[in-house]
Amino acid sequence: MSAEDRPAATWIIESAAEVATLSPAGATDAGSLSVVSPGTVVLAGDRIAWVGAATVAQAAAGELPYRLTPATRRLDARGCTVIPGLIDCHTHLLFGGARHGDFESRCAGKSYEQIAREGGGIRHTVAHTRAAPDEELLATATRHLAGMLALGITTVEAKSGYGLAHEHEIRMLRLLRELDRRQPVDIVRTYLGAHEVPLDQPKESYLREMLERTLPLVAAEGLASFADVYCERGVYSVAEASTVLRKAKALGLQLTVHAEQLYRTGGARVAAELGARSASHLEQATAADLEALAEAGTIAVLLPACPLYLGDNRYPPAREALSRGVPVAIATDFNPGSAMTYNLPLCLTIACVQMRMTPAEALLAATAGAARALALGDRGAIRPGLIADLVVLDTPHWQQPLYHFGASYTRQVFKNGELVWSVSPRPRAIPGELPSSP
Ligand code: NIG
Ligand code: FE
């Protein structure tokens, strides 16, 4: 290749202590977590152009398949780690109001279901979401997305489901589309009309509305890539879930299901039978359910913050899923009731210590595994040709943010090849001197 044919490097992230390149999108086994040490990543526009152990001298000597130009920017990443942008593949990001009351009640020992029966729960959030003006919902969600970006999250799935009526569900999806336009984090939209039974409409008529009005409009306007159903005792049955999901599939939407969270209802089987891309929760899934998911290639999206926050010790069966060959993703389930957190790195720590995942499996589950759950073949790893979504961590060890749980190690975040977030310089003590006071 002559020098002129080589792509111009827009960024060189240079001499990182470790670059965790992770697997080609698709594989989620821990063996795929490959670490280049020391490593350099080269970006060309919105794509990764090169990753490897090259030195800048080699680049300058024209030995590498890219070329430096006066516009090439360099980032000295010595002492740092580079990982792919994290992907949160299950959230309920857009909602009005807050459920402090639910939290107080749960701390006092009430269950999630009991709180919902007494006027809290999803329906409480539905009332506040319906009543909130567009700009208020957008402002709150934008603040959450900024918090996510600061944790290194560059792609987020977000569901409707706090509207529970045609026009309110459509409004939620349109607002999510608007949010996607307003800030750097990519948002994958999911229609979750069947999240709860509305208080102001009989279930039968709401189901008819979903099938005859909402789903066709969602598909026609491209308002969502996925359809989801909360398949749970007292909410939507296996038969109802299957009717909604079949219609969604016929309209060209991809499928995902909230399955086997509080009770084992058969939702995972429905997911497998209909060829759903993923099934979430699965705390109560049986061995046979996991076999069915493995057979169908349905990805298990495990949500460790949920049992933690509900004070329930039944964590999802990660080891059983992995040993049966079920591809695994980890997500936050960020929502105002059962998991009020968007801290995906923290969820990875919980997956390690409570579900016995290795740190490598956990990191893969929030990158390559999550990309697979969202059917995004262009991200989730660091290799040439993929979208340049990268996180530079202020640590020489990729395990550090999992090990030191709850702390943030994000130093820089690149989205589509652009530097979109950078920490302000940390004060460093000079040997022999006291750090100056702020
Ligand atoms: O995934 N349980 C259903 N949906 C959410 C909770 C939503 C809420 O409580 O607002 C979940 O856990
Ligand atoms: Fe959820």
Side-chain angles (χ1 to χ4, degrees), residues 20-315:
T21 61
L22 295 116
S23 66
T28 53
D29 57 296
S32 312
L33 185 134
S34 78
V35 176
V36 183
S37 176
T40 289
V41 187
V42 179
L43 314 184
D46 67 349
R47 300 282 154 169
I48 296 163
W50 192 85
V51 56
T55 62
V56 172
Q58 285 174 289
E63 292 171 20
L64 298 171
Y66 57 83
R67 97 193 123 78
L68 301 178
T69 76
T72 305
R73 297 178 70 186
R74 287 164 65 168
L75 178 73
D76 179 352
R78 277 175 295 178
C80 297
T81 298
V82 184
I83 61 169
L86 299 175
I87 300 173
D88 192 345
C89 65
H90 181 141
T91 83
H92 304 253
L93 156 73
L94 188 71
F95 55 85
R99 307 231 298 265
H100 304 127
D102 289 18
F103 184 63
E104 295 260 0
S105 304
R106 223 174 23 258
C107 296
K110 287 193 181 172
S111 74
Y112 181 74
E113 292 164 283
Q114 196 179 357
I115 293 165
R117 277 195 303 272
E118 292 172 2
I122 294 173
R123 285 163 171 157
H124 177 279
T125 300
V126 170
H128 285 81
T129 305
R130 286 185 183 182
D134 288 358
E135 281 307 322
E136 184 184 312
L137 292 174
L138 290 170
T140 308
T142 302
R143 198 168 64 233
H144 296 324
L145 285 159
M148 291 169 155
L149 190 66
L151 289 164
I153 298 162
T154 47
T155 300
V156 165
E157 182 261 15
K159 303 171 194 293
S160 69
Y162 294 120
L164 302 189
H166 176 79
E167 66 275 20
H168 294 291
E169 287 291 313
I170 295 294
R171 177 172 86 120
M172 282 197 74
L173 292 171
R174 289 188 177 141
L175 288 174
L176 287 169
R177 185 173 60 187
E178 177 59 23
L179 264 179
D180 191 28
R181 291 190 188 120
R182 284 192 186 186
Q183 52 71 58
V185 179
D186 279 335
I187 300 178
V188 176
R189 297 184 298 274
T190 297
Y191 168 60
L192 174 59
H195 192 195
E196 180 48 286
V197 181
L199 283 173
D200 55 355
Q201 190 178 173
K203 194 193 220 182
E204 279 311 301
S205 97
Y206 183 50
L207 278 166
R208 226 177 11 257
E209 179 181 281
M210 279 187 240
L211 299 174
E212 292 171 11
R213 283 185 75 199
T214 317
L215 272 167
L217 183 61
V218 167
E221 277 197 25
L223 284 173
S225 319
F226 285 85
D228 192 351
V229 174
Y230 185 34
C231 187
E232 184 60 87
R233 192 186 282 183
V235 191
Y236 290 95
S237 69
V238 159
E240 290 158 346
S242 155
T243 306
V244 173
L245 293 168
R246 275 178 208 282
K247 176 74 181 186
K249 186 175 181 177
L251 289 165
L253 291 163
Q254 302 187 75
L255 309 182
T256 181
V257 188
H258 279 69
E260 329 298 2
Q261 182 190 5
L262 303 175
Y263 300 94
R264 199 257 158 203
T265 62
R269 296 292 183 87
V270 172
E273 274 162 32
L274 296 181
R277 189 85 196 171
S278 68
S280 289
H281 285 289
L282 302 171
E283 286 87 336
Q284 318 305 326
T286 63
D289 294 335
L290 298 175
E291 299 284 354
L293 294 177
E295 179 81 10
T298 298
I299 293 141
V301 176
L302 308 181
L303 310 168
C306 228
L308 176 90
Y309 202 61
L310 295 180
D312 183 337
N313 270 330
R314 297 170 301 173
Y315 282 87

